[in-house]
């Protein structure tokens, strides 16, 4: 198998249309703001000092990412695995971040890019209590690019289809990690879900 080079890509793919180029906006407009305020889930991508890339799922109540202005987003950080790969990349790496927002039932997605910084300001944390707890930190994104992706990828995947995979086809995450590492004890999915409820 031969790897493609830049010249190969130019031969395979047509140039994007002026409309596709123009849809990338420098700030959050009314449509993007509405989409973010409806979104309970996004993927956060960051880049490290060594050139590595991390992508991490983030979720909360609808509109958990706050639109603080046309060029500013505030994302509260909730309980997780404490690896903090994304946040290490923000403070030690390039600082560039990309967010991909999803709204259940809508096939289009929204990408927001910019530079991130972190804050643990007590007043800011206290203003973002959810699930009865303040966040541990807040990601502040200085937005530089915003654009909607068409719905083709989600339509192809039928992501919002009512045909869902039964959870029972996979062991619980605790069991998977036990099998992979030999650490901890396996547990049922029901046990894991009850544990999650206390850690949100």
């Amino acid at each position: 198998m031969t790897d493609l080079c830049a010249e190969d890509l130019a031969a395979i793919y047509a140039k994007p249309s002026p409309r596709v180029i123009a849809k990338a906006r420098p700030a959050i407009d009314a449509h993007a703001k509405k989409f973010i305020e409806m979104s309970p889930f996004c993927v956060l991508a960051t880049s490290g000092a060594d050139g590595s890339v991390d992508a991490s799922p983030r979720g909360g109540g609808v509109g958990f990412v706050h639109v603080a202005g046309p060029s500013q987003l505030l994302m509260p950080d909730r309980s997780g695995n404490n690896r903090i790969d994304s946040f290490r990349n923000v403070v030690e790496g390039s600082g560039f971040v990309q967010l991909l927002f999803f709204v259940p039932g809508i096939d289009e997605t929204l990408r927001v890019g910019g530079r991130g910084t972190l804050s643990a300001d007590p007043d800011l944390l206290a203003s973002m209590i959810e699930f009865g707890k303040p966040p541990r930190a807040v990601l502040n994104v200085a937005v530089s690019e915003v654009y909607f992706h068409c719905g083709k990828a989600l339509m192809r995947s039928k992501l919002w289809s009512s045909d869902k995979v039964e959870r029972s086809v996979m062991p619980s995450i605790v069991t998977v990690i036990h099998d992979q590492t030999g650490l901890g004890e396996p547990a049922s999915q029901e046990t894991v879900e009850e544990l999650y409820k206390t850690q949100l």
Side-chain angles (χ1 to χ4, degrees):
M1 184 170 62
T2 303
D3 293 340
L4 297 177
C5 65
E7 290 77 12
D8 296 324
L9 294 178
I12 294 171
Y13 294 96
K15 288 184 179 180
S17 69
R19 186 177 182 182
V20 168
I21 299 298
K23 75 175 182 175
R25 312 307 299 164
I28 299 167
D29 67 2
H31 299 294
K33 182 175 185 288
K34 181 175 182 178
F35 197 90
I36 294 167
E37 290 174 344
M38 293 190 299
S39 174
F41 176 79
C42 67
V43 176
L44 168 65
T46 58
S47 57
D50 61 354
S52 63
V53 176
D54 178 76
S56 171
R58 303 295 166 120
V62 170
F64 76 103
V65 175
H66 300 250
V67 180
S71 299
Q72 185 183 23
L73 291 180
L74 298 172
M75 174 190 284
D77 183 52
R78 305 296 173 189
S79 175
N81 60 19
N82 293 323
R83 284 183 54 116
I84 57 173
D85 297 314
S86 300
F87 285 175
R88 286 192 194 283
N89 287 348
V90 168
V91 300
E92 298 174 357
S94 71
F96 289 116
V97 303
Q98 289 280 332
L99 295 161
L100 187 62
F101 288 94
F102 295 77
V103 174
I106 296 179
D107 288 327
E108 289 74 24
T109 54
L110 177 71
R111 183 189 293 191
V112 179
R115 277 191 174 273
T117 55
L118 295 175
S119 175
D121 177 78
D123 291 337
L124 181 59
L125 300 185
S127 72
M128 294 188 173
I129 292 174
E130 190 176 17
F131 309 110
K133 302 173 186 175
R136 299 174 298 175
V138 173
L139 175 64
N140 180 10
V141 180
V143 174
S144 58
E145 185 178 53
V146 182
Y147 65 92
F148 282 95
H149 284 282
C150 75
K152 292 176 186 174
L154 271 67
M155 291 173 70
R156 292 180 188 123
S157 67
K158 299 181 181 177
L159 187 63
W160 308 132
S161 168
S162 59
D163 297 330
K164 293 188 174 126
V165 174
E166 291 295 327
R167 182 60 186 83
S168 59
V169 303
M170 279 287 292
S172 73
I173 186 65
V174 173
T175 299
V176 169
I177 293 173
H178 174 267
D179 291 347
Q180 292 173 336
T181 67
L183 300 174
E185 296 297 329
S188 69
Q189 181 62 25
E190 291 75 20
T191 300
V192 171
E193 289 177 3
E194 284 303 313
L195 181 63
Y196 282 167
K197 289 176 185 177
T198 66
Q199 297 177 344
L200 291 175

